[in-house]
Amino acid sequence: MSVRVARAAWARDWGAGCRRGVSNFPLPPSGAVNVAELLRDATAAEEGPREAAARRRPPGQCSVLLFPGQGSQVVGMGRGLLGYPRVRELYAAARSVLGYDLLELSLHGPQEALDRTVHCQPAVFVASLAAVEKLHHLQPAVIENCVAAAGFSVGEFAALVFAGAMEFSEGLRAVKIRAEAMQEASEAVPSGMLSVLGQPQSKFTFACLEAREHCKTLGIENPVCEVASYLFPDCRVISGHLEALRFLRKNSSKYHFRRTKMLPVSGGFHTRLMEPALEPLAQVLKSVAVKEPLVAVHSNVDGNRYRHPKHIRKLLAQQVVSPVKWEQTMHAVYGRRKGTGFPETFEVGPGKQLGSILKSCNLQAWRSYGHVEVLEDPEHLAPALQEGG
């Protein structure tokens, strides 16, 4: 059994995990295997370190998967996935874990319900892994030759499940607790997130400082306003008290901001406003069986790849109060010597935001980008895989 063949059957692993965790889910078929263990054994026995195996494969024959995060959700997501093997089983397993019909909410909304943190994080997580099922069906070589994955915020959980670091049911349970805790924290303080497209002379740090001072004049104690995501050069997401974000929008020209836009999220994520969510998330992560990822997965906290299970648990908890260093992650994933080719990249999940960000971070890497459609996907209207360049 080669590493390539073992990775191609990755979906059986989430199936076995769900069946163990959900009493009314059917037993696995005779002969089903734990692909994570199989891949781990095959890697050690046949190919040695994964890095060496990846170096032997030409970059153009490798692939990278990117998993989107909260804010990418849209009513109708999942409709373009239901015709592919195991997707309905995936949503059935999710219903058992969550206690409500996630597929119905994803397909029919309403949007305001789907946008709630408690719902959209599980919805994006499951839709992303369902998109991997579709990609595996249409282009199995992409899954077989995957060498790295990264996920934006909650997307990091989906990336880790795909990479075999945790089982689907346990990963979804952790996402559920995370979403509930972040929803509760966001309701405690009127807060939000503001996407800011700047320019080289933009003064992000100074702008946040003045926004905090403005909040103090309004009687807000210990105001929060800080960079919560580094997207691409001169583009940031600023998170904090709503009054601070309103101040920034009103005074955007002073700080050389070209464009600002409020994001469809319910709180000031990736700041200390989310500190109440730390303990619930840390506790649930202690109960999750975390393994070493089978492909490189990069952390939002520092952009570096995870090394061992304790590292994963620590940084997944830290992530909710730390800025998402996505620009740094893209440099870590795609940095290479001049003249070296780039892997194929596929965004798996709703939206194409990560593709747009990749284009601004690394145009050459983006030329090999594709998106797996999760909305309506009739053959006569659009290809299943939409190329970015």
Side-chain angles (χ1 to χ4, degrees):
M1 173 64 71
S2 69
V3 172
R4 183 172 297 183
V5 172
R7 186 178 292 137
W10 76 277
R12 294 183 195 168
D13 186 40
W14 71 253
C18 289
R19 294 170 187 124
R20 284 193 293 274
V22 181
S23 59
N24 62 349
F25 212 63
L27 291 173
S30 176
V33 295
N34 185 313
V35 174
E37 293 180 3
L38 182 62
L39 178 51
R40 210 175 247 94
D41 293 343
T43 302
E46 294 185 11
E47 299 194 11
R50 288 184 302 281
E51 293 87 345
R55 284 196 296 270
R56 288 196 296 270
R57 192 177 301 136
Q61 296 179 17
C62 298
S63 60
V64 173
L65 299 191
L66 302 181
F67 294 80
Q70 184 171 348
S72 62
Q73 70 277 356
V74 60
V75 170
M77 66 182 190
R79 197 178 304 279
L81 307 173
L82 296 177
Y84 295 90
R86 292 184 291 271
V87 169
R88 288 188 182 274
E89 294 177 43
L90 196 66
Y91 276 100
R95 182 173 185 168
S96 296
V97 173
L98 298 171
Y100 60 88
D101 192 339
L102 182 67
L103 180 58
E104 173 67 21
L105 178 61
S106 297
L107 292 180
H108 304 296
Q111 186 70 48
E112 53 268 27
L114 185 60
D115 284 343
R116 296 189 70 225
T117 298
V118 71
H119 294 144
C120 71
Q121 289 192 15
V124 171
F125 171 88
V126 176
S128 295
L129 290 170
V132 173
E133 287 286 350
K134 177 177 178 177
L135 180 59
H136 177 234
H137 179 78
L138 295 174
Q139 294 192 23
V142 173
I143 304 301
E144 295 162 11
N145 296 327
C146 182
V147 294
F152 195 100
S153 193
V154 71
E156 197 167 300
F157 285 81
L160 287 164
V161 169
F162 165 73
M166 58 181 70
E167 293 175 352
F168 171 81
S169 58
E170 291 195 328
L172 180 56
R173 183 164 56 88
V175 168
K176 177 179 182 288
I177 297 301
R178 178 187 192 266
E180 291 170 349
M182 292 176 70
Q183 177 81 46
E184 185 175 351
S186 67
E187 291 173 352
V189 176
S191 58
M193 303 183 80
L194 180 71
S195 175
V196 179
L197 178 62
Q199 44 194 327
Q201 64 267 40
S202 295
K203 303 174 181 179
F204 292 101
T205 302
F206 180 62
C208 289
L209 174 62
E210 292 207 329
R212 292 194 297 270
E213 292 300 319
H214 168 72
C215 286
K216 290 178 182 178
T217 67
L218 301 177
I220 299 175
E221 296 183 4
N222 300 315
V224 173
C225 183
E226 57 196 55
V227 173
S229 302
Y230 295 83
L231 300 182
F232 56 86
D234 303 321
C235 187
R236 307 283 187 268
V237 173
I238 295 176
S239 187
H241 283 82
L242 283 179
E243 288 296 340
L245 304 183
R246 294 189 185 106
F247 174 85
L248 293 180
R249 299 196 77 181
K250 183 178 179 180
N251 296 277
S252 60
S253 60
K254 176 180 179 180
Y255 307 113
H256 305 287
F257 296 161
R258 285 194 287 168
R259 188 167 67 247
T260 62
K261 180 182 179 181
M262 292 297 298
L263 299 183
V265 297
S266 59
F269 303 141
H270 298 289
T271 70
R272 58 182 172 85
L273 290 175
M274 292 297 110
E275 285 180 354
L278 281 174
E279 184 60 23
L281 179 56
Q283 288 301 317
V284 72
L285 287 172
K286 287 180 181 179
S287 69
V288 173
V290 180
K291 305 169 187 174
E292 181 183 353
L294 302 173
V295 297
V297 177
H298 290 255
S299 167
N300 287 182
V301 173
D302 56 17
N304 297 325
R305 60 178 296 182
Y306 284 113
R307 295 295 178 183
H308 50 77
K310 287 184 178 180
H311 192 212
I312 292 173
R313 288 192 183 93
K314 177 183 177 182
L315 293 189
L316 281 180
Q318 186 180 338
Q319 186 218 76
V320 298
V321 293
S322 303
V324 174
K325 295 186 176 178
W326 192 254
E327 180 183 349
Q328 295 87 333
T329 298
M330 293 299 93
H331 292 318
V333 172
Y334 296 103
R336 58 202 60 232
R337 293 190 299 272
K338 186 177 181 179
T340 304
F342 287 91
E344 287 188 292
T345 296
F346 288 88
E347 184 169 356
V348 282
K352 303 178 185 177
Q353 296 93 329
L354 300 184
S356 298
I357 293 172
L358 177 60
K359 185 177 182 180
S360 296
C361 286
N362 192 317
L363 182 60
Q364 292 302 314
W366 174 81
R367 296 189 189 282
S368 299
Y369 163 88
H371 169 251
V372 182
E373 183 57 67
V374 303
L375 297 171
E376 290 283 1
D377 188 28
E379 293 182 0
H380 65 284
L381 289 181
L385 302 179
Q386 302 180 354
E387 298 302 319

